[in-house]
Amino acid sequence: MKIEKKLKKLGIKETKEFTQEEKDLVANNVTVSLTMAFPILKSEQANILNKIQNANMFHAKTNENLPKINYIYENHKIYFDESVEIQNITDAMLHEIIHFMQDVRKKNGKLDRIGLCNFNELSLHGLGINEGAVQYVSAKALNSGVQTVKTFEIVLRTISPNYYPVLTNLIEQIVFLIGEDELVKAIILNDEEFENTFFNTFEENAQDIIKLFDEIINYNVKNNKEIEIKKAKEQVEDKSKTDQLKNLYIQAQDLIMRTFFEKQYKLLQTEEDVQNLSTKLENYIK
């Protein structure tokens, strides 16, 4: 599909490109938010700022049912609805700008991957875990506090109650188990350490965990749910579909927890190791 047809189908009408002053304003706010929240990014502050300052940002008129900020990978542009006050940073703004930064192209110009999501001719792989991770970084950068929410019969704690709460909660669990710094570097700097740690930690179950993330986001897309909790609450939920999402979440959580702790159990050698693992398990359950 040509980009003009896609934009028309989505309901995006480009009006004008950001001035450099507007780009600088957004770039400064986003860079400060990211580097303040994640000290691991401090050494890359200048590079992050420069990349965002040179992003393809445009004002646009967007369909009322569409999010107000959208990154379109086909033309590598970020569209801001004309109603968006660009001086006010939001998690939606962070989320889409991060996607712009994640864009990695092949020599022929074709998209290779966006963060943890790999593209090929037939399918997307890792879309769910990448969306959850990007939202985790976006929410954390805005100092979002942890809230308890109930979504589709699932009660969970998350820093992102209004946008991908299920995926973000699962990412929070992974971060608790294997650490945050590598995830942040993977999402913002396209570093490969997180993927190596993830596959080394979860080994033969790593691909299954990724597939469950993808199934959860596919559920969201197909049912147009969980994107905006307030709207979702106004809908009459189909219990069979609600149970489907709940089961996917439980499967993912169980696989993450069981794989990690079973592996760590096999590595125990001292009483201190046992105590440390017991404490980690207790804190994880909390």
Side-chain angles (χ1 to χ4, degrees):
M1 182 186 296
K2 290 185 178 180
I3 186 60
E4 293 82 6
K5 289 184 178 179
K6 177 170 183 175
L7 293 177
K8 185 176 181 179
K9 184 176 181 179
L10 289 172
I12 299 175
K13 184 178 180 181
E14 182 180 309
T15 52
K16 62 178 180 178
E17 187 171 6
F18 274 31
T19 64
Q20 191 57 54
E21 289 75 18
E22 288 175 320
K23 291 183 180 183
D24 291 345
L25 173 64
V26 171
N28 280 313
N29 287 341
V30 170
T31 302
V32 169
S33 294
L34 289 172
T35 53
M36 288 289 288
F38 306 108
I40 192 70
L41 297 177
K42 281 285 187 181
S43 62
E44 295 293 329
Q45 184 166 347
N47 291 331
I48 294 170
L49 178 64
N50 181 65
K51 195 165 188 176
I52 303 173
Q53 284 175 323
N54 290 286
N56 304 312
M57 301 186 207
F58 289 80
H59 294 284
K61 297 181 184 294
T62 61
N63 187 298
E64 62 179 8
N65 296 320
L66 198 68
K68 297 303 181 185
I69 305 174
N70 297 274
Y71 171 63
I72 306 298
Y73 73 84
E74 287 91 341
N75 62 4
H76 202 35
K77 292 181 179 181
I78 310 169
Y79 292 102
F80 293 71
D81 185 80
E82 291 180 338
S83 65
V84 173
E85 298 177 349
I86 63 171
Q87 72 274 17
N88 298 328
I89 189 168
T90 64
D91 60 345
M93 182 186 294
L94 278 162
H95 194 105
E96 297 306 304
I97 288 174
I98 290 172
H99 278 328
F100 173 88
M101 297 171 66
Q102 290 185 310
D103 190 303
V104 176
R105 304 273 165 166
K106 299 176 182 177
K107 290 183 179 180
N108 62 7
K110 287 188 176 182
L111 188 64
D112 183 30
R113 62 189 172 92
I114 292 182
L116 304 175
C117 177
N118 295 301
F119 287 68
N120 60 44
E121 297 297 326
L122 300 175
S123 65
L124 295 176
H125 178 68
L127 178 61
I129 196 168
N130 189 63
E131 286 295 332
V134 170
Q135 186 55 28
Y136 170 85
V137 171
S138 301
K140 183 86 181 279
L142 293 181
N143 296 313
S144 300
V146 177
Q147 295 184 42
T148 300
V149 298
K150 182 178 181 180
T151 174
F152 311 111
E153 300 305 313
I154 306 168
V155 178
L156 50 79
R157 289 169 58 79
T158 179
I159 59 174
S160 180
N162 297 319
Y163 197 67
Y164 290 141
V166 172
L167 292 174
T168 309
N169 170 271
L170 291 171
I171 289 293
E172 291 173 69
Q173 295 183 46
I174 291 173
V175 164
F176 175 80
L177 296 175
I178 66 177
E180 180 182 79
D181 286 352
E182 290 181 1
L183 174 75
V184 172
K185 288 193 295 181
I187 295 305
I188 303 300
L189 307 176
N190 288 313
D191 187 272
E192 296 181 357
E193 286 182 42
F194 172 77
E195 288 189 70
N196 294 333
T197 300
F198 180 83
F199 279 97
N200 288 335
T201 300
F202 298 105
E203 296 180 334
E204 70 276 5
N205 289 330
Q207 290 291 356
D208 289 334
I209 293 170
I210 292 172
K211 287 178 183 177
L212 285 166
F213 270 87
D214 284 342
E215 287 186 48
I216 290 171
I217 199 167
N218 287 338
Y219 172 94
N220 294 335
V221 171
K222 289 178 182 178
N223 295 280
N224 193 28
K225 292 182 176 181
E226 198 192 29
I227 302 300
E228 201 171 333
I229 295 301
K230 291 181 180 178
K231 289 183 180 179
K233 284 181 177 178
E234 295 171 1
Q235 300 174 2
V236 177
E237 295 179 356
D238 183 319
K239 189 176 186 306
S240 65
K241 292 181 179 180
T242 300
D243 288 345
Q244 181 185 355
L245 178 60
K246 185 177 181 179
N247 289 335
L248 288 171
Y249 171 75
I250 291 172
Q251 287 178 54
Q253 181 175 244
D254 177 71
L255 197 55
I256 290 167
M257 180 176 70
R258 182 164 44 82
T259 305
F260 179 85
F261 285 103
E262 284 181 357
K263 181 178 180 180
Q264 295 303 310
Y265 177 77
K266 294 175 182 178
L267 300 175
L268 296 177
Q269 293 184 339
T270 67
E271 289 186 11
E272 184 178 2
D273 291 339
V274 173
Q275 183 58 49
N276 289 339
L277 187 61
S278 296
T279 300
K280 196 172 189 74
L281 178 58
E282 289 173 6
N283 291 333
Y284 178 82
I285 294 172
K286 292 177 182 179

